[in-house]
């Protein structure tokens, strides 16, 4: 009993001594602040302005907002990314902080400047994001997608192309193309994603199909049908989802070239379409190549330069490849000869690690959200050293803080 009371008293005394020490430190800081020049106290900006910006429209972002976080309204985030497009850990962070914040970084600003100055009446320009693992290529693409949605671009967005080649939901022999493999559930899921992103704009534009599409003896989509009807057919009839996707992309190219709409193509992990093999097996137990997947050709067609009134943002990633094909992150290596010639000429956009300013903004944001609470002097330098200012590595390190 005595030991218990003594332990409680010692803890109380320790707590009181800490409070006294903290009060002394606070009083010294107060004295120093009163002795400081009043002009300096007035001009010092509040901490929130150092890492946040109130400019929520990506079209208005410039070097002034560089390294600062901006907030995507949750309704817009749900519309654009309900079918994917954000890293899983970043999605968890959004749920934890109850806000979707993206950092304004120089690769995204570079891309946005290119797009805003582009002459859309000329053949489509292909922009290729490249960089080492975890530097933020996906979030750079997300930033540009937000701009596209707000500026009336129809989004043709593939959140992660390697999923089709490595982890398809189901595969089946194509009924329309002998020797090819259909991914009906993946195609239907992509059509759902396309509809969620573009349904409001499609209702306003009232785009129509240019010809009749015959799916079977009893099923067809007549010429002059709305694109929404075409998409809903592919969702309802999963068997024809791959063919519907091909028809939809062909129609979008024609409509954009005719000046009836603007199209933004965004494909993450684009080099997966040029990998030598997939993890999908044919009937004779042989692995098939990506060019034998029916979903591959439509997305290769829309990344060609034979149409206008659009832009293509593509990323190449080492993670999109398999073992033995991850030696370099440069586009020429990851795309291979065939993929490089398909995209040539293109505009490369390098995405690198955080700068000093971006790293400081990241740390301040986590401190503001109270995700990093218990800190020691120099903790930020330790994180900088351990992560090498790589965004993904840094996010992993602060998970346990």
């Amino acid at each position: 009993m005595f030991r218990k009371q003594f332990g409680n008293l010692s803890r109380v005394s320790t707590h009181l001594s800490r409070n006294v020490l903290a009060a002394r430190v606070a009083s010294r800081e107060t004295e120093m602040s009163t002795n400081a020049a009043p002009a300096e106290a007035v001009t010092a900006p509040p901490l929130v302005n150092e890492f946040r910006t109130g400019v929520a429209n990506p079209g208005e972002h410039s070097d002034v907002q560089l390294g600062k976080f901006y907030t995507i309204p949750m309704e817009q985030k749900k519309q654009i990314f309900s079918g994917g497009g954000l890293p899983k850990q970043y999605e968890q962070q959004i749920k934890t902080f109850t806000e979707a914040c993206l950092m304004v970084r120089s690769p995204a600003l570079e891309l946005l400047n290119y797009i805003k100055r582009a002459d859309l009446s000329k053949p489509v320009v292909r922009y290729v994001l490249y960089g080492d693992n975890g530097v933020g290529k996906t979030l750079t693409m997300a930033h540009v997608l937000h701009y596209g949605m707000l500026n009336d671009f129809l989004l043709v967005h593939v959140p992660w192309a390697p999923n089709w080649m490595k982890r398809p939901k189901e595969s089946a022999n194509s009924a329309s193309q002998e020797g090819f493999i259909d991914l009906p559930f993946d195609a239907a899921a992509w059509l759902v994603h396309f509809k969620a992103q573009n349904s409001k704009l499609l209702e306003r534009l009232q785009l129509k199909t240019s010809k009749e599409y015959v799916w079977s003896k009893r099923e067809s989509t007549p010429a002059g049908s709305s694109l929404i009807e075409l998409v809903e057919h592919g969702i309802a009839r999963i068997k024809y989802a791959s063919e519907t996707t091909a028809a939809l992309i062909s129609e979008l190219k024609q409509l954009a070239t005719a000046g009836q709409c603007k199209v933004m193509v965004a494909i993450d992990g684009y080099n997966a379409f040029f990998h030598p093999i997939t993890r999908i097996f044919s009937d004779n137990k042989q692995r098939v190549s990506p060019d034998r997947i029916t979903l591959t050709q439509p997305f290769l067609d829309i990344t060609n330069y034979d149409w206008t009134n659009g832009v293509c943002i593509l990323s190449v990633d080492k993670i999109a490849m398999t073992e033995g094909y991850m030696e370099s992150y440069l586009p020429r290596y990851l795309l291979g000869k065939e993929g490089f010639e398909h995209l040539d000429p293109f505009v490369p956009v390098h995405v690198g690690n955080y700068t000093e300013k971006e790293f400081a903004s990241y740390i301040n944001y986590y401190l503001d959200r109270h995700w990093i609470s218990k800190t020691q002097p120099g903790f930020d330098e330790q994180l900088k050293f351990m992560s090498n200012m790589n965004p993904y590595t840094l996010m992993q390190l602060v998970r346990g803080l």
Side-chain angles (χ1 to χ4, degrees), residues 120 122-124 126 154 156 190 194 207-210 213 227 230 245-265 297-312 342:
L120 297 183
K122 298 292 193 297
V124 63
R126 284 78 58 85
L154 284 173
V156 178
W190 183 83
F194 177 86
L207 302 174
K208 307 294 183 182
T209 56
S210 60
Y213 292 95
L227 288 192
L230 182 64
T245 300
L248 173 65
I249 288 178
S250 176
E251 291 289 344
L252 288 174
K253 287 180 64 176
Q254 295 179 47
L255 291 165
T257 303
Q260 297 186 44
C261 64
K262 298 184 297 182
V263 177
M264 176 178 284
V265 180
Q297 193 57 46
F299 291 98
L300 294 186
D301 288 343
I302 203 168
T303 53
N304 214 328
Y305 57 84
D306 57 351
W307 59 289
T308 60
N309 222 23
V311 294
C312 292
H342 175 77

Side-chain angles (χ1 to χ4, degrees), residues 1-10:
M1 184 69 178
F2 175 78
R3 289 181 179 178
K4 184 176 180 180
Q5 291 177 351
F6 181 80
N8 291 336
L9 289 172
S10 63

Side-chain angles (χ1 to χ4, degrees), residues 48-57 60-62 64-72 101-104:
V48 68
N49 288 343
E50 296 179 2
F51 61 92
R52 281 187 187 269
T53 176
V55 182
N57 186 349
E60 299 175 6
H61 289 163
S62 64
V64 177
Q65 289 80 33
L66 189 62
K68 296 184 178 182
F69 286 89
Y70 84 99
T71 304
I72 304 176
C101 281
L102 273 181
M103 184 185 289
V104 180

Side-chain angles (χ1 to χ4, degrees), residues 363 367 372-380 401:
I363 296 299
L367 288 170
I372 301 177
S373 55
K374 298 179 181 178
T375 59
Q376 297 177 351
F379 81 98
D380 51 343
L401 295 180

